[in-house]
Amino acid sequence: MAKFGIGQSVRRVEDPRLLTGGGRYTDDTKLSTPAARAYVLRSPHAHADINRIDTTAAIKAPGVLLVLTGEDVKAAGYGDLPCLVPVTNRDGTPRGETPRPMLAQGRVRHVGDPVALVVAETLEQAKDAAELIEVDYEARPHTVGTRESAQPGAPLVHDHIKGNLVFDWEMGDRARTEAAFAKADRVVKLEIVNNRLVVNSMEPRGAICEYDPADDRSTLWVSSQGVSVIRPVVADMILKIGQPKLRVRTGDVGGGFGMKIFVHPEYPLVVWASRELKRTVKWIPDRQEAFLSDVQGRDHVSLAEMALDKDCKFLGLRVTTHAALGAYLSHFGAFIPTMAGSGMLAGLYQTPAIYVNVKGVMTNTVPTDAYRGAGRPEAAYLLERFVDHIGRETGLGPVEIRKRNLVKPNQIPWNTALGDTFDSGDFDNVMLKGMEKADWTGFPARRAASLAKGRWRGMGMATYVEKCSGGAPESAIAKFNDDDTITVFVGVQTNGQGHETAFTQIMSARLGVDADRIRIVQGDSDFTPEGMTGGSRSIPVAGAAVLGVSDNIIEKGKLVAASAMEAAVGDIEYADATFRIVGTDRTMSLFDVARAARDPKHVPEGGKPGLDDTFTRTPQAATFPNGCHICELEIDPDTGTLEILNYTIMDDFGTALNPLLLQGQVHGGVGQGVGQALTEKTIYDPDSGQLMSGSFMDYALPRADVVPHVHFDMHNSLCTTNPLGVKGAGEAGAIGAPPSVINAIVDAIHPHTGLKHIDMPVTASSLWAAIDAHRAKKAA
């Protein structure tokens, strides 16, 4: 296999294995002993007291090995599932706590809340036994609405959380923003809903635990986004067995999208059951169970207000958001609507004053947490839908309102009103190049042609920016093997993005080593360093660590090569996997030097034998990928059906490590963003609290005829805060797509109906209803 270079469109090195059935997902794990099967009995109520649980019949059922309830959790003294993010309220007090045991104790708070765990020889036996468990529920009033749950008189999800507000958080300069509104020539307002989503990764969550009696140690196999996030929570915080007693492993992962970062109740339950039985226990959910138990995403209701001067320059932005967090605070649940996304409400604009108030609302629903983009899509949708609305209200239109307010190239580095610094970017030209690629000037003629056929055509634009590459440090550990290969251990976890290819490409380019000599290892807490996939940080942070360890190898190798070839270190140069004495033909290959480095006589003073090394990359500053999405679509006003005719993206990702992988990431993100805009919505019945969209019969994932072909291009500006020059790309498509699609729909219907806004998802039914209501009003 050839050497890979940075910037090459290399096909994924993992694909031959995956496409030929060589993938090993959680359910494919090869076990040393047969696994008992676990099944979770879940609450059928949105909110109820548990007066009594009788497991007598279940314990005696055929094949049953173990039945656990909340009383067993309490008796064992186990900890709750934690929220790991502190939040300070506007009044300086800390956010509230929402205790969440592995199994419900005394009360259930959402449909699907775990009530009991049954372990049996077979899954069918476990399910049959679960039906024999008698639970005496006493239903309580429930609440599922996002803003409604924070209104006076709403049923309390937790008795100690007053008004269901677990936090009341702020960001920005309130006084300066109020002053901007006081002097404004005009104020524009818009209420915006960001619908709740079910993640629906292709591979459902799952967990398998093996127990080794020789050293009283458990190995948990779990579909995750980083084993080092799972291990301390399960071992230290919940089961309290200590991390040395738990090894966590992750194989191939069929999609994560944020949901697989977190510890769900089933993971510690499976470990606990395995240790009780001293045998392997396996829990794999079906899709309906995933709908009821996987953390969900989004679910915001926001009021946006913009103060403008006489020239329609932005003076101040004020945003008030009610963010539904579900029945319990998930790991990062409090972080997503606050610190994760709110800073991006500045967008790419020069707005001098911004104030954000986020109210965290508890509801009798599945908890919410990070979903692809994790706060950034929420911010981009709100801002870009709002800016388009401002353009319409002021008469300037979507292009001119942006031109007047975008940060200009000569203003960079730019400090936003919410504390971020854009180190690079050419926002005007990214937009203009996107418009050129989408043939913006030719749109009026295309609109007229559609109208002649009885169709309404619209064109929508959205710029975006996201903050990436933050979080904890990432390390790369490189080890030289006897067969002249290098194994690289990293803590991030591939979920289908192509990590093996990307990391191989970085090391191959830097060391000049053929790609087939490089092995990437992830997902084993016994060997891999700490790390986590999320926030478009794998390449900017972990990739930079791979670059750093490659540089360390070269520098250490020069010392060894100088010793082995009896030359001065300054006379050693390195290229194409070869150390050479400058100006001579005397050389040593990288792997020859690696072997020489094991000889004590060639080890540098104070050094260790071998070329094995470690590098840790600590993010010094965030990166800011940005871009422009343009959607063109056509609507049949008699049926409400629509078709996306053209979808154009112009992005700035800094250095493009692998354009082929990058384009795939963007296209996949667009699919998810279009799904949110047009088809997906999690619906809880307000009367019963039941999840009405609890299967693929009721929850509409985007299909092939919905997801558009994407015309993708880049206008990159090198990132100055990252050694690779990259900015991150994994979430970009999901961020830019929803506002561009909704803006296109409003552009199509406004000339005929006067409608200025419509909420996601815009289904054929909802769109037809809006059009029909206008027609009825006009007829009256």
Side-chain angles (χ1 to χ4, degrees):
M1 189 177 294
K3 299 177 180 67
F4 288 171
I6 290 177
Q8 288 182 251
S9 289
V10 177
R11 292 187 177 275
R12 303 198 317 175
V13 299
E14 52 267 71
D15 281 349
R17 173 175 60 84
L18 297 175
L19 294 173
T20 56
R24 288 294 178 264
Y25 300 89
T26 303
D27 200 23
D28 302 319
T29 303
K30 293 182 179 180
L31 304 171
S32 57
T33 58
R37 298 302 300 270
Y39 178 76
V40 178
L41 179 67
R42 300 183 181 277
S43 168
H45 298 279
H47 201 192
D49 288 327
I50 300 175
N51 294 327
R52 181 179 61 89
I53 299 179
D54 187 346
T55 62
T56 305
I59 293 171
K60 296 177 181 178
V64 171
L65 303 169
L66 182 68
V67 179
L68 298 170
T69 69
E71 289 303 310
D72 298 308
V73 176
K74 186 186 297 184
Y78 290 141
D80 294 332
L81 276 73
C83 175
L84 300 176
V85 179
V87 170
T88 302
N89 294 316
R90 291 195 290 174
D91 63 5
T93 61
R95 62 160 175 79
E97 296 288 351
T98 58
R100 186 188 188 189
M102 289 183 281
L103 295 169
Q105 297 175 10
R107 188 181 297 184
V108 291
R109 291 183 168 85
H110 70 86
V111 173
D113 213 352
V115 174
L117 181 80
V118 180
V119 183
E121 294 290 354
T122 70
L123 180 59
E124 291 72 20
Q125 289 173 332
K127 287 182 176 181
D128 289 345
E131 292 185 2
L132 300 176
I133 298 176
E134 296 181 11
V135 186
D136 179 12
Y137 292 106
E138 184 175 346
R140 298 176 63 93
H142 60 267
T143 180
V144 297
T146 306
R147 191 166 54 190
E148 293 82 354
S149 297
Q151 301 305 307
L156 295 181
V157 179
H158 296 266
D159 294 342
H160 65 287
I161 304 295
K162 296 180 180 178
N164 287 321
L165 288 183
V166 71
F167 60 77
D168 185 1
W169 177 87
E170 66 181 356
M171 183 182 201
D173 190 328
R174 185 174 187 176
R176 189 178 181 190
T177 304
E178 295 297 336
F181 275 83
K183 69 178 183 180
D185 289 88
R186 182 171 189 171
V187 173
V188 180
K189 301 181 181 182
L190 183 65
E191 183 174 283
I192 295 172
V193 175
N194 203 297
N195 39 320
R196 178 182 278 242
L197 303 171
V198 176
V199 177
N200 281 313
S201 55
M202 186 177 292
E203 180 202 15
R205 288 188 302 115
I208 303 170
C209 190
E210 295 181 296
Y211 177 74
D212 182 356
D215 56 7
D216 186 32
R217 195 165 190 247
S218 301
T219 297
L220 173 65
W221 290 87
V222 63
S223 186
S224 81
Q225 290 177 233
V227 295
S228 65
V229 178
I230 305 292
R231 188 185 189 205
V233 175
V234 172
D236 293 341
M237 299 182 185
I238 300 175
L239 297 182
K240 303 177 183 179
I241 58 176
Q243 291 185 57
K245 294 288 187 182
L246 181 65
R247 178 184 186 184
V248 181
R249 302 188 67 181
T250 294
D252 293 308
V253 179
F257 311 116
M259 178 266 291
K260 290 182 181 174
I261 295 174
F262 321 111
V263 171
H264 290 69
E266 299 83 5
Y267 306 163
L269 281 173
V270 167
V271 177
W272 178 22
S274 175
R275 295 180 69 83
E276 286 286 314
L277 296 171
K278 294 183 170 38
R279 62 176 291 184
T280 302
V281 175
K282 180 176 184 177
W283 172 78
I284 303 292
D286 60 24
R287 187 62 67 173
Q288 186 174 16
E289 190 173 8
F291 270 91
L292 292 172
S293 63
D294 295 350
V295 292
Q296 298 172 357
R298 317 287 194 251
D299 202 345
H300 293 183
V301 177
S302 301
L303 175 64
E305 305 170 88
M306 185 72 83
L308 299 99
D309 68 13
K310 59 182 178 58
D311 296 318
C312 296
K313 297 290 291 291
F314 299 163
L315 298 177
L317 172 65
R318 188 164 54 205
V319 176
T320 303
T321 292
H322 286 77
L325 300 167
Y328 308 97
L329 287 178
S330 180
H331 276 18
F332 299 153
F335 176 68
I336 304 308
T338 55
M339 292 84 83
S342 291
M344 295 298 93
L345 285 166
L348 298 174
Y349 305 108
Q350 302 176 42
T351 315
I354 304 175
Y355 177 72
V356 183
N357 176 211
V358 180
K359 301 178 187 298
V361 184
M362 305 310 297
T363 57
N364 291 117
T365 63
V366 173
T368 58
D369 209 309
Y371 173 63
R372 195 168 188 169
R376 282 73 59 85
E378 294 91 315
Y381 177 67
L382 183 149
L383 184 63
E384 289 301 301
R385 178 75 275 277
F386 189 33
V387 168
D388 234 57
H389 179 72
I390 295 169
R392 194 173 303 282
E393 289 290 281
T394 59
L396 292 180
V399 179
E400 183 59 29
I401 193 66
R402 288 180 170 87
K403 281 184 177 179
R404 293 191 185 190
N405 289 285
L406 283 171
V407 174
K408 307 305 176 187
N410 61 4
Q411 295 176 298
I412 291 177
W414 173 262
N415 298 317
T416 75
L418 293 175
D420 289 312
T421 300
F422 299 157
D423 67 288
S424 59
D426 188 7
F427 312 137
D428 263 335
N429 278 321
V430 167
M431 181 180 76
L432 293 174
K433 285 180 177 291
M435 293 170 60
E436 181 181 356
K437 192 174 183 69
D439 188 19
W440 189 277
T441 58
F443 174 72
R446 297 193 296 275
R447 169 176 266 177
S450 292
L451 191 58
K453 298 183 299 180
R455 302 288 193 268
W456 299 348
R457 188 179 284 242
M459 201 166 192
M461 171 194 293
T463 63
Y464 78 91
V465 63
E466 64 163 325
K467 185 177 183 178
C468 300
S469 307
E474 294 286 347
S475 298
I477 302 169
K479 292 185 179 296
F480 282 78
N481 306 311
D482 292 338
D483 61 352
D484 287 358
T485 61
I486 306 171
T487 300
V488 182
F489 301 86
V490 290
V492 295
Q493 179 64 49
T494 185
N495 305 149
Q497 303 94 327
H499 283 181
E500 292 176 47
T501 303
F503 296 140
T504 297
Q505 202 164 347
I506 292 168
M507 179 164 276
S508 177
R510 188 69 187 95
L511 294 182
V513 174
D514 287 352
D516 58 6
R517 292 181 179 269
I518 300 170
R519 306 279 187 270
I520 306 299
V521 174
Q522 301 173 289
D524 189 336
S525 63
D526 274 5
F527 299 100
T528 53
E530 292 192 2
M532 183 199 78
T533 291
S536 296
R537 62 191 302 276
S538 293
I539 303 307
V541 187
V546 173
L547 179 69
V549 79
S550 301
D551 286 336
N552 282 359
I553 288 169
I554 293 171
E555 294 308 309
K556 188 174 182 180
K558 286 181 178 180
L559 296 174
V560 175
S563 174
M565 292 191 286
E566 298 180 341
V569 175
D571 290 335
I572 302 297
E573 62 181 4
Y574 180 84
D576 294 328
T578 301
F579 293 92
R580 179 187 306 273
I581 299 176
V582 176
T584 76
D585 59 359
R586 294 183 62 195
T587 64
M588 290 182 70
S589 75
L590 172 63
F591 295 102
D592 285 339
V593 171
R595 279 186 286 274
R598 297 169 189 164
D599 187 334
K601 69 181 180 182
H602 297 312
V603 176
E605 185 176 351
K608 295 180 180 179
L611 288 191
D612 298 353
D613 216 313
T614 301
F615 184 89
T616 298
R617 167 69 180 176
T618 301
Q620 301 299 313
T623 62
F624 295 95
N626 61 89
C628 178
H629 286 224
I630 298 174
C631 176
E632 186 171 348
L633 52 76
E634 196 175 63
I635 293 170
D636 180 349
D638 295 325
T639 63
T641 57
L642 65 79
E643 179 184 3
I644 296 177
L645 303 174
N646 191 30
Y647 198 98
T648 304
I649 299 176
M650 188 66 62
D651 274 323
D652 176 2
F653 290 139
T655 299
L657 175 67
N658 184 322
L660 186 63
L661 287 186
L662 189 152
Q663 186 170 355
Q665 285 292 290
V666 172
H667 202 164
V670 168
Q672 289 181 284
V674 168
Q676 177 172 12
L678 298 181
T679 66
E680 298 184 54
K681 186 178 183 180
T682 309
I683 300 175
Y684 285 90
D685 177 38
D687 295 327
S688 66
Q690 295 294 319
L691 178 63
M692 305 301 288
S693 53
S695 74
F696 288 144
M697 295 293 289
D698 315 296
Y699 186 93
L701 287 180
R703 304 176 114 179
D705 59 349
V706 174
V707 180
H709 176 73
V710 173
H711 302 281
F712 169 75
D713 206 345
M714 291 176 284
H715 178 68
N716 291 329
S717 54
L718 192 67
C719 178
T720 64
T721 62
N722 183 275
L724 287 165
V726 300
K727 297 184 180 181
E731 300 156 310
I735 295 172
S740 66
V741 172
I742 301 301
N743 287 345
I745 292 170
V746 173
D747 185 60
I749 64 177
H750 178 263
H752 308 283
T753 66
L755 286 171
K756 298 178 180 179
H757 180 65
I758 187 166
D759 283 321
M760 301 186 292
V762 181
T763 64
S765 175
S766 68
L767 185 54
W768 179 86
I771 294 170
D772 188 61
H774 164 74
R775 286 173 170 168
K777 183 178 179 181
K778 188 175 180 180

